[in-house]
Protein backbone atom coordinates (compact mmCIF):
# COMPACT_ATOMS: atom_id res chain seq x y z
CA UNK A 1 0.00 0.00 0.00
CA UNK A 2 2.82 2.42 0.89
CA UNK A 3 4.60 1.58 -2.37
CA UNK A 4 1.46 2.37 -4.36
CA UNK A 5 1.10 5.71 -2.58
CA UNK A 6 4.74 6.54 -3.21
CA UNK A 7 4.62 5.98 -6.95
CA UNK A 8 1.46 8.09 -7.03
CA UNK A 9 3.36 11.04 -5.55
CA UNK A 10 3.14 13.99 -7.89
CA UNK A 11 6.11 15.32 -9.83
CA UNK A 12 6.24 18.07 -12.45
CA UNK A 13 5.64 16.93 -16.01
CA UNK A 14 8.04 19.33 -17.74
CA UNK A 15 10.62 16.70 -18.68
CA UNK A 16 7.92 14.43 -20.08
CA UNK A 17 6.59 17.28 -22.19
CA UNK A 18 10.10 17.84 -23.54
CA UNK A 19 10.27 14.10 -24.22
CA UNK A 20 7.11 14.45 -26.32
CA UNK A 21 8.58 17.40 -28.24
CA UNK A 22 11.80 15.47 -28.90
CA UNK A 23 9.77 12.47 -30.03
CA UNK A 24 7.85 14.62 -32.49
CA UNK A 25 11.08 16.15 -33.82
CA UNK A 26 12.82 12.78 -34.31
CA UNK A 27 9.83 11.13 -35.97
CA UNK A 28 9.25 14.12 -38.27
CA UNK A 29 12.88 13.88 -39.36
CA UNK A 30 12.55 10.13 -39.94
CA UNK A 31 9.45 10.41 -42.13
CA UNK A 32 10.96 13.35 -44.03
CA UNK A 33 13.98 11.15 -44.82
CA UNK A 34 11.67 8.58 -46.41
CA UNK A 35 10.39 11.24 -48.80
CA UNK A 36 13.80 12.81 -49.43
CA UNK A 37 15.73 9.59 -50.15
CA UNK A 38 12.95 7.90 -52.11
CA UNK A 39 12.64 5.08 -49.59
CA UNK A 40 8.86 4.94 -49.94
CA UNK A 41 9.27 3.75 -53.51
CA UNK A 42 12.29 1.54 -52.74
CA UNK A 43 10.71 -0.34 -49.83
CA UNK A 44 6.95 -0.27 -50.54
CA UNK A 45 6.29 0.38 -54.24
CA UNK A 46 9.12 -1.38 -56.05
CA UNK A 47 8.93 -4.81 -54.29
CA UNK A 48 6.48 -7.40 -55.63
CA UNK A 49 6.70 -9.67 -52.59
CA UNK A 50 6.65 -8.74 -48.91
CA UNK A 51 7.74 -10.73 -45.87
CA UNK A 52 5.58 -10.98 -42.76
CA UNK A 53 6.08 -11.03 -39.01
CA UNK A 54 4.69 -14.16 -37.41
CA UNK A 55 1.27 -13.35 -36.01
CA UNK A 56 0.96 -10.20 -38.12
CA UNK A 57 0.43 -11.78 -41.53
CA UNK A 58 -2.76 -9.73 -41.85
CA UNK A 59 -0.77 -6.50 -42.21
CA UNK A 60 -0.21 -5.76 -45.88
CA UNK A 61 1.37 -2.83 -47.73
CA UNK A 62 -1.13 -0.36 -49.11
CA UNK A 63 -1.53 0.42 -52.82
CA UNK A 64 1.00 3.01 -54.07
CA UNK A 65 -1.30 6.05 -53.84
CA UNK A 66 -2.44 5.14 -50.35
CA UNK A 67 1.14 4.38 -49.30
CA UNK A 68 2.19 7.94 -50.14
CA UNK A 69 -0.98 9.18 -48.44
CA UNK A 70 -0.06 7.19 -45.32
CA UNK A 71 3.40 8.76 -45.21
CA UNK A 72 1.88 12.19 -45.71
CA UNK A 73 -0.40 11.57 -42.74
CA UNK A 74 2.56 10.31 -40.71
CA UNK A 75 4.51 13.49 -41.46
CA UNK A 76 1.57 15.74 -40.55
CA UNK A 77 0.84 13.89 -37.30
CA UNK A 78 4.53 13.79 -36.34
CA UNK A 79 4.73 17.56 -36.84
CA UNK A 80 1.54 17.90 -34.80
CA UNK A 81 3.15 15.96 -31.94
CA UNK A 82 6.23 18.18 -32.17
CA UNK A 83 4.23 21.43 -32.32
CA UNK A 84 1.79 20.37 -29.60
CA UNK A 85 -1.53 20.25 -31.44
CA UNK A 86 -4.24 17.57 -31.08
CA UNK A 87 -1.77 15.47 -29.14
CA UNK A 88 -3.90 12.49 -28.24
CA UNK A 89 -5.35 12.21 -31.75
CA UNK A 90 -1.98 12.70 -33.47
CA UNK A 91 -0.21 10.22 -31.20
CA UNK A 92 -2.90 7.62 -31.82
CA UNK A 93 -2.89 8.04 -35.60
CA UNK A 94 0.90 8.24 -35.85
CA UNK A 95 1.53 5.18 -33.68
CA UNK A 96 -0.97 3.03 -35.58
CA UNK A 97 0.22 4.27 -38.98
CA UNK A 98 3.92 3.96 -38.18
CA UNK A 99 3.49 0.45 -36.77
CA UNK A 100 1.53 -0.55 -39.87
CA UNK A 101 4.23 0.71 -42.22
CA UNK A 102 7.18 -0.99 -40.54
CA UNK A 103 5.24 -4.22 -40.07
CA UNK A 104 4.25 -4.26 -43.77
CA UNK A 105 7.54 -5.91 -44.68
CA UNK A 106 9.50 -7.77 -42.00
CA UNK A 107 12.81 -7.13 -43.76
CA UNK A 108 12.72 -3.45 -42.76
CA UNK A 109 12.42 -4.25 -39.05
CA UNK A 110 14.75 -2.08 -36.99
CA UNK A 111 15.00 -1.88 -33.23
CA UNK A 112 14.49 1.88 -33.19
CA UNK A 113 11.37 1.55 -35.37
CA UNK A 114 9.99 -0.82 -32.75
CA UNK A 115 11.01 1.68 -30.07
CA UNK A 116 9.21 4.52 -31.86
CA UNK A 117 5.99 2.49 -31.86
CA UNK A 118 6.37 1.71 -28.15
CA UNK A 119 7.09 5.31 -27.17
CA UNK A 120 4.18 6.53 -29.26
CA UNK A 121 1.88 4.18 -27.36
CA UNK A 122 3.31 5.27 -24.00
CA UNK A 123 2.93 8.95 -24.81
CA UNK A 124 -0.64 8.41 -26.00
CA UNK A 125 -1.44 6.59 -22.77
CA UNK A 126 0.27 9.16 -20.55
CA UNK A 127 -1.27 12.34 -19.07
CA UNK A 128 0.87 14.65 -21.23
CA UNK A 129 -1.36 14.05 -24.25
CA UNK A 130 -4.50 15.46 -22.59
CA UNK A 131 -4.59 18.88 -24.25
CA UNK A 132 -3.04 21.15 -26.87
CA UNK A 133 0.32 22.65 -25.92
CA UNK A 134 1.44 24.85 -28.83
CA UNK A 135 5.22 24.98 -28.98
CA UNK A 136 5.37 28.71 -29.69
CA UNK A 137 3.16 29.43 -26.69
CA UNK A 138 5.53 27.66 -24.29
CA UNK A 139 5.75 30.72 -22.06
CA UNK A 140 2.08 30.29 -21.23
CA UNK A 141 1.75 26.56 -20.67
CA UNK A 142 5.03 25.93 -18.88
CA UNK A 143 3.75 28.10 -16.07
CA UNK A 144 0.69 25.91 -15.65
CA UNK A 145 1.20 23.36 -12.93
CA UNK A 146 0.63 19.94 -14.49
CA UNK A 147 1.85 17.30 -12.05
CA UNK A 148 1.90 13.64 -12.99
CA UNK A 149 2.43 10.60 -10.81
CA UNK A 150 5.96 9.24 -10.48
CA UNK A 151 4.72 6.03 -12.07
CA UNK A 152 4.64 7.66 -15.50
CA UNK A 153 8.07 9.21 -15.16
CA UNK A 154 9.59 5.94 -13.90
CA UNK A 155 7.90 4.01 -16.72
CA UNK A 156 9.60 6.05 -19.41
CA UNK A 157 12.92 5.76 -17.60
CA UNK A 158 12.51 2.01 -17.31
CA UNK A 159 11.68 1.67 -20.99
CA UNK A 160 14.80 3.56 -22.04
CA UNK A 161 16.98 1.76 -19.50
CA UNK A 162 15.85 -1.67 -20.73
CA UNK A 163 17.09 -0.91 -24.24
CA UNK A 164 20.62 -0.26 -23.03
CA UNK A 165 20.60 -3.11 -20.52
CA UNK A 166 19.38 -5.82 -22.89
CA UNK A 167 21.67 -4.47 -25.59
CA UNK A 168 24.57 -4.99 -23.18
CA UNK A 169 23.43 -8.48 -22.18
CA UNK A 170 23.29 -9.46 -25.86
CA UNK A 171 26.98 -8.54 -26.19
CA UNK A 172 28.06 -10.96 -23.47
CA UNK A 173 29.23 -13.57 -25.96
CA UNK A 174 32.65 -14.90 -27.04
CA UNK A 175 32.72 -13.24 -30.47
CA UNK A 176 32.14 -9.80 -28.99
CA UNK A 177 34.30 -10.07 -25.89
CA UNK A 178 37.17 -12.32 -27.02
CA UNK A 179 37.46 -11.66 -30.76
CA UNK A 180 36.14 -8.07 -31.01
CA UNK A 181 33.66 -9.21 -33.64
CA UNK A 182 31.84 -7.74 -35.45
CA UNK A 183 33.46 -4.40 -34.52
CA UNK A 184 36.74 -5.48 -36.09
CA UNK A 185 34.94 -5.81 -39.43
CA UNK A 186 32.85 -2.69 -39.07
CA UNK A 187 35.78 -0.46 -38.17
CA UNK A 188 37.65 -1.71 -41.22
CA UNK A 189 34.61 -1.00 -43.40
CA UNK A 190 34.24 2.50 -41.91
CA UNK A 191 37.70 3.60 -43.08
CA UNK A 192 37.54 7.09 -44.52
CA UNK A 193 34.44 8.23 -42.66
CA UNK A 194 36.60 9.91 -40.01
CA UNK A 195 39.94 10.26 -41.86
CA UNK A 196 41.79 11.90 -38.98
CA UNK A 197 41.03 8.83 -36.81
CA UNK A 198 41.83 6.16 -39.42
CA UNK A 199 45.31 5.41 -37.98
CA UNK A 200 43.71 4.70 -34.59
CA UNK A 201 40.58 2.93 -35.85
CA UNK A 202 42.75 0.67 -38.00
CA UNK A 203 44.68 -0.72 -35.03
CA UNK A 204 43.67 -4.29 -34.00
CA UNK A 205 43.61 -3.20 -30.36
CA UNK A 206 41.01 -0.50 -31.08
CA UNK A 207 38.30 -3.05 -31.91
CA UNK A 208 38.86 -4.85 -28.59
CA UNK A 209 38.79 -1.60 -26.64
CA UNK A 210 35.61 -0.46 -28.38
CA UNK A 211 33.94 -3.84 -27.85
CA UNK A 212 34.52 -3.77 -24.11
CA UNK A 213 33.59 -0.09 -23.88
CA UNK A 214 30.32 -0.94 -25.66
CA UNK A 215 29.46 -3.66 -23.13
CA UNK A 216 30.35 -1.53 -20.12
CA UNK A 217 28.46 1.44 -21.57
CA UNK A 218 25.24 -0.47 -22.24
CA UNK A 219 25.19 -2.29 -18.91
CA UNK A 220 26.10 0.71 -16.74
CA UNK A 221 24.59 3.77 -18.38
CA UNK A 222 20.97 3.23 -17.19
CA UNK A 223 22.15 3.02 -13.59
CA UNK A 224 24.50 6.01 -13.92
CA UNK A 225 21.68 8.09 -15.41
CA UNK A 226 19.52 7.15 -12.43
CA UNK A 227 22.19 8.39 -10.01
CA UNK A 228 22.07 12.12 -9.37
CA UNK A 229 25.82 12.34 -8.74
CA UNK A 230 26.79 10.83 -12.11
CA UNK A 231 23.79 11.81 -14.22
CA UNK A 232 25.23 14.88 -15.93
CA UNK A 233 28.58 13.38 -17.01
CA UNK A 234 26.79 10.13 -17.92
CA UNK A 235 24.50 11.98 -20.32
CA UNK A 236 27.49 13.62 -22.01
CA UNK A 237 28.93 10.13 -22.44
CA UNK A 238 25.61 9.10 -24.02
CA UNK A 239 25.72 12.11 -26.34
CA UNK A 240 29.35 11.46 -27.35
CA UNK A 241 28.78 7.72 -27.79
CA UNK A 242 25.78 8.10 -30.08
CA UNK A 243 27.28 10.99 -32.03
CA UNK A 244 30.51 9.07 -32.61
CA UNK A 245 28.77 5.87 -33.70
CA UNK A 246 26.48 7.82 -36.03
CA UNK A 247 29.54 8.94 -38.02
CA UNK A 248 30.87 5.40 -38.29
CA UNK A 249 27.76 3.31 -38.86
CA UNK A 250 24.53 3.80 -40.88
CA UNK A 251 22.06 3.77 -37.99
CA UNK A 252 19.64 6.50 -39.07
CA UNK A 253 17.86 8.54 -36.41
CA UNK A 254 18.64 6.04 -33.64
CA UNK A 255 21.38 8.28 -32.10
CA UNK A 256 19.00 11.26 -32.06
CA UNK A 257 16.21 9.25 -30.48
CA UNK A 258 18.43 7.81 -27.75
CA UNK A 259 20.34 11.02 -26.97
CA UNK A 260 17.21 13.12 -26.56
CA UNK A 261 15.16 10.41 -24.85
CA UNK A 262 17.84 9.82 -22.21
CA UNK A 263 17.14 13.32 -20.87
CA UNK A 264 14.09 11.78 -19.20
CA UNK A 265 16.46 10.57 -16.46
CA UNK A 266 17.15 14.14 -15.33
CA UNK A 267 15.17 15.95 -12.66
CA UNK A 268 11.65 16.48 -14.02
CA UNK A 269 12.12 20.24 -13.67
CA UNK A 270 15.27 20.44 -15.80
CA UNK A 271 13.56 22.29 -18.73
CA UNK A 272 12.46 25.05 -16.34
CA UNK A 273 15.93 25.27 -14.80
CA UNK A 274 17.45 25.57 -18.27
CA UNK A 275 14.96 28.26 -19.31
CA UNK A 276 15.72 30.25 -16.17
CA UNK A 277 19.43 30.21 -16.97
CA UNK A 278 19.06 30.99 -20.66
CA UNK A 279 16.62 33.86 -20.26
CA UNK A 280 18.07 35.15 -16.99
CA UNK A 281 14.68 35.22 -15.34
CA UNK A 282 12.89 33.18 -12.74
CA UNK A 283 10.10 31.16 -14.30
CA UNK A 284 7.65 29.05 -12.40
CA UNK A 285 9.16 26.23 -10.34
CA UNK A 286 7.38 23.30 -8.83
CA UNK A 287 6.55 23.29 -5.12
CA UNK A 288 4.57 20.49 -3.56
CA UNK A 289 2.44 22.76 -1.38
CA UNK A 290 1.24 24.65 -4.46
CA UNK A 291 -0.74 21.79 -5.99
CA UNK A 292 -4.23 22.67 -7.11
CA UNK A 293 -6.91 20.68 -5.30
CA UNK A 294 -7.38 18.15 -8.09
CA UNK A 295 -3.63 17.50 -8.18
CA UNK A 296 -3.43 16.65 -4.49
CA UNK A 297 -5.37 13.52 -5.26
CA UNK A 298 -2.27 12.11 -6.90
CA UNK A 299 -0.53 11.82 -3.56
CA UNK A 300 -3.58 10.39 -1.82
CA UNK A 301 -4.29 7.65 -4.34
CA UNK A 302 -4.02 4.14 -2.93
CA UNK A 303 -5.15 2.16 -5.95
CA UNK A 304 -4.45 1.88 -9.67
CA UNK A 305 -6.78 3.12 -12.38
CA UNK A 306 -7.37 1.10 -15.56
CA UNK A 307 -4.69 3.05 -17.47
CA UNK A 308 -2.15 2.27 -14.79
CA UNK A 309 -2.97 -1.43 -14.83
CA UNK A 310 -2.51 -1.32 -18.59
CA UNK A 311 0.81 0.47 -18.11
CA UNK A 312 2.03 -2.10 -15.57
CA UNK A 313 1.05 -4.95 -17.91
CA UNK A 314 2.99 -3.25 -20.68
CA UNK A 315 6.09 -2.89 -18.47
CA UNK A 316 5.96 -6.53 -17.40
CA UNK A 317 5.88 -7.57 -21.05
CA UNK A 318 8.82 -5.28 -21.86
CA UNK A 319 10.85 -6.89 -19.10
CA UNK A 320 9.99 -10.49 -20.00
CA UNK A 321 9.80 -10.54 -23.82
CA UNK A 322 13.55 -9.95 -24.37
CA UNK A 323 14.31 -13.08 -22.30
CA UNK A 324 12.19 -15.45 -24.37
CA UNK A 325 15.07 -16.52 -26.64
CA UNK A 326 16.71 -18.43 -23.77
CA UNK A 327 14.00 -21.07 -24.16
CA UNK A 328 15.09 -21.82 -27.73
CA UNK A 329 17.99 -24.15 -28.56
CA UNK A 330 21.02 -22.90 -30.45
CA UNK A 331 22.70 -19.53 -30.75
CA UNK A 332 20.05 -16.83 -31.16
CA UNK A 333 22.22 -14.89 -33.61
CA UNK A 334 22.25 -17.96 -35.87
CA UNK A 335 18.69 -19.23 -35.50
CA UNK A 336 17.04 -15.79 -35.20
CA UNK A 337 14.46 -17.47 -32.94
CA UNK A 338 12.85 -14.74 -30.80
CA UNK A 339 15.56 -12.24 -31.74
CA UNK A 340 13.11 -9.51 -32.69
CA UNK A 341 11.62 -7.22 -30.04
CA UNK A 342 14.52 -8.20 -27.74
CA UNK A 343 16.94 -5.27 -28.21
CA UNK A 344 19.65 -7.37 -29.86
CA UNK A 345 21.20 -4.16 -31.17
CA UNK A 346 24.12 -4.48 -33.62
CA UNK A 347 25.57 -7.65 -32.11
CA UNK A 348 26.55 -9.53 -35.28
CA UNK A 349 27.48 -9.09 -38.92
CA UNK A 350 25.65 -11.64 -41.08
CA UNK A 351 26.04 -12.24 -44.80
CA UNK A 352 24.19 -14.94 -46.71
CA UNK A 353 23.32 -16.40 -50.09
CA UNK A 354 20.48 -18.61 -51.28
CA UNK A 355 19.37 -20.48 -54.38
CA UNK A 356 16.02 -22.28 -54.35
CA UNK A 357 15.06 -25.43 -56.25
CA UNK A 358 11.55 -26.35 -57.36
CA UNK A 359 10.46 -28.84 -60.01
CA UNK A 360 14.18 -29.59 -60.61
CA UNK A 361 14.77 -25.97 -61.63
CA UNK A 362 17.01 -23.45 -59.83
CA UNK A 363 15.35 -20.19 -58.78
CA UNK A 364 17.42 -17.10 -58.04
CA UNK A 365 15.41 -15.01 -55.52
CA UNK A 366 17.11 -11.87 -56.79
CA UNK A 367 14.87 -12.11 -59.85
CA UNK A 368 11.91 -11.38 -57.55
CA UNK A 369 13.25 -9.54 -54.53
CA UNK A 370 14.97 -6.18 -54.23
CA UNK A 371 18.64 -6.21 -53.29
CA UNK A 372 17.78 -5.18 -49.73
CA UNK A 373 15.11 -7.86 -49.37
CA UNK A 374 17.49 -10.50 -50.71
CA UNK A 375 20.21 -9.57 -48.21
CA UNK A 376 17.75 -9.70 -45.31
CA UNK A 377 16.05 -12.91 -46.44
CA UNK A 378 19.25 -14.93 -46.84
CA UNK A 379 20.22 -14.50 -43.18
CA UNK A 380 16.81 -15.09 -41.60
CA UNK A 381 15.39 -18.64 -41.64
CA UNK A 382 11.78 -17.52 -41.24
CA UNK A 383 12.02 -15.37 -44.34
CA UNK A 384 13.54 -18.24 -46.34
CA UNK A 385 10.55 -20.41 -45.42
CA UNK A 386 8.10 -17.68 -46.42
CA UNK A 387 9.76 -17.26 -49.79
CA UNK A 388 9.80 -21.02 -50.37
CA UNK A 389 6.03 -21.20 -49.85
CA UNK A 390 5.60 -18.22 -52.17
CA UNK A 391 7.57 -20.07 -54.88
CA UNK A 392 5.42 -23.17 -54.40
CA UNK A 393 2.28 -21.08 -54.87
CA UNK A 394 3.65 -19.34 -57.98
CA UNK A 395 4.66 -22.67 -59.54
CA UNK A 396 1.17 -24.06 -58.94
CA UNK A 397 -0.32 -21.01 -60.66
CA UNK A 398 2.07 -21.45 -63.58
CA UNK A 399 2.05 -25.22 -64.13
CA UNK A 400 -0.91 -26.48 -62.14
CA UNK A 401 1.34 -28.82 -60.17
CA UNK A 402 0.26 -28.80 -56.55
CA UNK A 403 2.32 -29.20 -53.36
CA UNK A 404 5.69 -29.31 -55.12
CA UNK A 405 8.63 -29.53 -52.70
CA UNK A 406 10.95 -26.53 -52.49
CA UNK A 407 14.59 -26.85 -51.49
CA UNK A 408 17.28 -24.29 -50.80
CA UNK A 409 21.03 -24.12 -50.90
CA UNK A 410 21.68 -21.42 -48.35
CA UNK A 411 24.85 -20.39 -46.58
CA UNK A 412 25.34 -17.77 -43.88
CA UNK A 413 28.53 -16.29 -42.52
CA UNK A 414 28.51 -14.69 -39.07
CA UNK A 415 31.18 -12.10 -38.27
CA UNK A 416 33.31 -13.01 -41.27
CA UNK A 417 33.64 -16.68 -40.31
CA UNK A 418 33.24 -19.57 -42.80
CA UNK A 419 29.71 -19.82 -44.13
CA UNK A 420 27.46 -22.68 -43.07
CA UNK A 421 24.11 -23.91 -44.41
CA UNK A 422 20.92 -22.91 -42.60
CA UNK A 423 18.94 -25.88 -43.98
CA UNK A 424 19.82 -29.22 -45.44
CA UNK A 425 19.61 -29.09 -49.26
CA UNK A 426 17.32 -32.15 -49.08
CA UNK A 427 14.84 -30.49 -46.69
CA UNK A 428 11.44 -29.64 -48.17
CA UNK A 429 10.94 -26.15 -46.81
CA UNK A 430 7.21 -26.13 -47.48
CA UNK A 431 6.72 -28.81 -44.82
CA UNK A 432 8.25 -26.65 -42.08
CA UNK A 433 5.73 -24.60 -40.14
CA UNK A 434 6.45 -21.22 -38.60
CA UNK A 435 5.23 -21.24 -34.99
CA UNK A 436 6.12 -19.91 -31.56
CA UNK A 437 8.16 -23.08 -31.00
CA UNK A 438 11.76 -23.72 -32.16
CA UNK A 439 11.91 -24.04 -35.92
CA UNK A 440 12.09 -27.60 -37.19
CA UNK A 441 14.57 -28.51 -39.92
CA UNK A 442 16.95 -25.68 -39.09
CA UNK A 443 20.59 -26.76 -38.81
CA UNK A 444 21.69 -25.53 -35.41
Amino acid sequence: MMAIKKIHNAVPSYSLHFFRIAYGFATSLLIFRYFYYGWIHSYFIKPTFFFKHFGFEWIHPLPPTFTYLLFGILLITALGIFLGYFLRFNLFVFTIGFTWFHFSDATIYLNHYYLISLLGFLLWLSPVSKRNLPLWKWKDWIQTLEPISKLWLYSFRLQMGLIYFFGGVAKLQPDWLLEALPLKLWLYQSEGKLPFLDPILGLPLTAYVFSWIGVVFDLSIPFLLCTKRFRFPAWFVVLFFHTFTSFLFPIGVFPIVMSLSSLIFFDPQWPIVLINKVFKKQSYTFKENEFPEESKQLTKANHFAFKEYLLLTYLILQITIPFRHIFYPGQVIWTEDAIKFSWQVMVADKVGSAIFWINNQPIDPRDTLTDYQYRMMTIQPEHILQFAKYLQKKEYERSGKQDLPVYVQSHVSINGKPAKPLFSPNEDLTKIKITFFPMQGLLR
Side-chain angles (χ1 to χ4, degrees), residues 18 23 29 56 163 184 199 270 329 410 413:
F18 176 85
Y23 178 85
L29 178 61
F56 294 91
I163 299 168
K184 193 182 294 183
W270 75 262
S410 66
S413 168

Side-chain angles (χ1 to χ4, degrees), residues 2 8 65 78 98 139 169 322-323:
M2 290 299 297
H8 275 100
T65 301
F98 187 86
K139 290 184 179 180
V169 171
F323 283 114

Side-chain angles (χ1 to χ4, degrees), residues 390-401:
Y390 164 79
L391 291 177
Q392 184 187 61
K393 179 182 177 182
K394 295 297 288 185
E395 184 63 20
Y396 169 70
E397 293 173 352
R398 187 187 71 84
S399 66
K401 295 180 180 179

Side-chain angles (χ1 to χ4, degrees), residues 262-303:
S262 58
L263 289 168
I264 196 67
F265 288 92
F266 281 80
D267 184 277
Q269 287 199 108
W270 75 262
I272 293 294
V273 175
L274 181 61
I275 289 171
N276 290 342
K277 291 184 178 180
V278 170
F279 292 95
K280 307 296 184 182
K281 61 181 288 187
Q282 186 65 30
S283 298
Y284 186 85
T285 55
F286 173 91
K287 294 179 182 178
E288 189 167 346
N289 59 5
E290 294 180 356
F291 292 166
E293 284 301 315
E294 62 271 18
S295 301
K296 291 181 182 178
Q297 296 173 6
L298 289 172
T299 60
K300 295 178 181 180
N302 57 8
H303 65 278

Side-chain angles (χ1 to χ4, degrees), residues 167-377:
V169 171
K171 295 178 176 68
L172 298 177
Q173 52 168 304
D175 274 11
W176 189 280
L177 298 176
L178 304 180
E179 300 185 52
L181 292 171
L183 272 182
K184 193 182 294 183
L185 300 174
W186 292 343
L187 289 177
Y188 175 78
Q189 295 166 1
S190 67
E191 183 178 358
K193 293 183 177 179
L194 294 173
F196 63 96
L197 289 179
D198 279 349
I200 298 175
L201 298 179
L203 295 174
L205 179 63
T206 303
Y208 287 92
V209 172
F210 280 16
S211 293
W212 280 87
I213 287 176
V215 173
V216 173
F217 172 83
D218 283 342
L219 292 177
S220 64
I221 206 66
F223 303 101
L224 293 175
L225 288 170
C226 286
T227 307
K228 187 175 181 179
R229 180 180 178 183
F230 301 109
R231 186 174 295 144
F232 196 71
W235 184 77
F236 273 98
V237 172
V238 168
L239 186 61
F240 174 80
F241 178 87
H242 288 301
T243 302
F244 184 70
T245 54
S246 69
F247 283 107
L248 294 179
F249 311 123
I251 47 182
V253 300
F254 180 73
I256 297 174
V257 172
M258 298 304 290
S259 297
L260 294 178
S261 296
S262 58
L263 289 168
I264 196 67
F265 288 92
F266 281 80
D267 184 277
Q269 287 199 108
W270 75 262
I272 293 294
V273 175
L274 181 61
I275 289 171
N276 290 342
K277 291 184 178 180
V278 170
F279 292 95
K280 307 296 184 182
K281 61 181 288 187
Q282 186 65 30
S283 298
Y284 186 85
T285 55
F286 173 91
K287 294 179 182 178
E288 189 167 346
N289 59 5
E290 294 180 356
F291 292 166
E293 284 301 315
E294 62 271 18
S295 301
K296 291 181 182 178
Q297 296 173 6
L298 289 172
T299 60
K300 295 178 181 180
N302 57 8
H303 65 278
F304 289 125
F306 172 76
K307 270 190 177 183
E308 291 166 329
Y309 278 114
L310 184 60
L311 176 62
L312 292 174
T313 302
Y314 166 89
L315 294 176
I316 291 171
L317 289 174
Q318 287 303 306
I319 293 170
T320 55
I321 285 175
F323 283 114
R324 72 193 191 282
H325 68 83
I326 65 176
F327 298 104
Y328 293 79
Q331 187 183 21
V332 64
I333 296 173
W334 173 258
T335 67
E336 300 266 339
D337 280 329
I339 196 171
K340 291 178 180 176
F341 317 118
S342 298
W343 311 119
Q344 302 267 339
V345 183
M346 297 184 69
V347 293
D349 184 87
K350 297 178 71 175
V351 179
S353 63
I355 293 291
F356 291 82
W357 290 81
I358 184 170
N359 204 17
N360 295 319
Q361 296 295 320
I363 303 292
D364 189 340
R366 285 170 289 193
D367 294 336
T368 303
L369 304 176
T370 65
D371 291 342
Y372 180 80
Q373 286 181 311
Y374 175 76
R375 292 199 308 271
M376 294 296 104
M377 181 208 66

Side-chain angles (χ1 to χ4, degrees), residues 30 33-35 37-51 60-62 67-68 71 101-110 113 250 370-376:
L30 172 61
R33 281 160 56 89
Y34 265 82
F35 281 102
Y37 289 109
W39 292 342
I40 302 174
H41 181 269
S42 300
Y43 293 129
F44 300 102
I45 310 300
K46 182 180 178 181
T48 57
F49 175 78
F50 296 91
F51 296 89
H60 301 283
L62 300 174
T67 298
Y68 279 101
F71 274 86
F101 113 67
H102 80 88
F103 270 48
S104 296
D105 186 356
T107 60
I108 66 170
Y109 171 85
L110 292 170
Y113 284 9
T370 65
D371 291 342
Y372 180 80
Q373 286 181 311
Y374 175 76
R375 292 199 308 271
M376 294 296 104

Side-chain angles (χ1 to χ4, degrees), residues 129-155:
S129 63
K130 283 183 177 179
R131 62 186 182 89
N132 292 344
L133 299 167
L135 186 61
W136 48 75
K137 293 184 179 180
W138 61 269
K139 290 184 179 180
D140 297 329
W141 59 259
I142 66 165
Q143 298 189 46
T144 303
L145 186 62
E146 297 175 334
I148 57 173
S149 71
K150 286 184 177 180
L151 175 62
W152 291 103
L153 186 63
Y154 291 164
S155 297

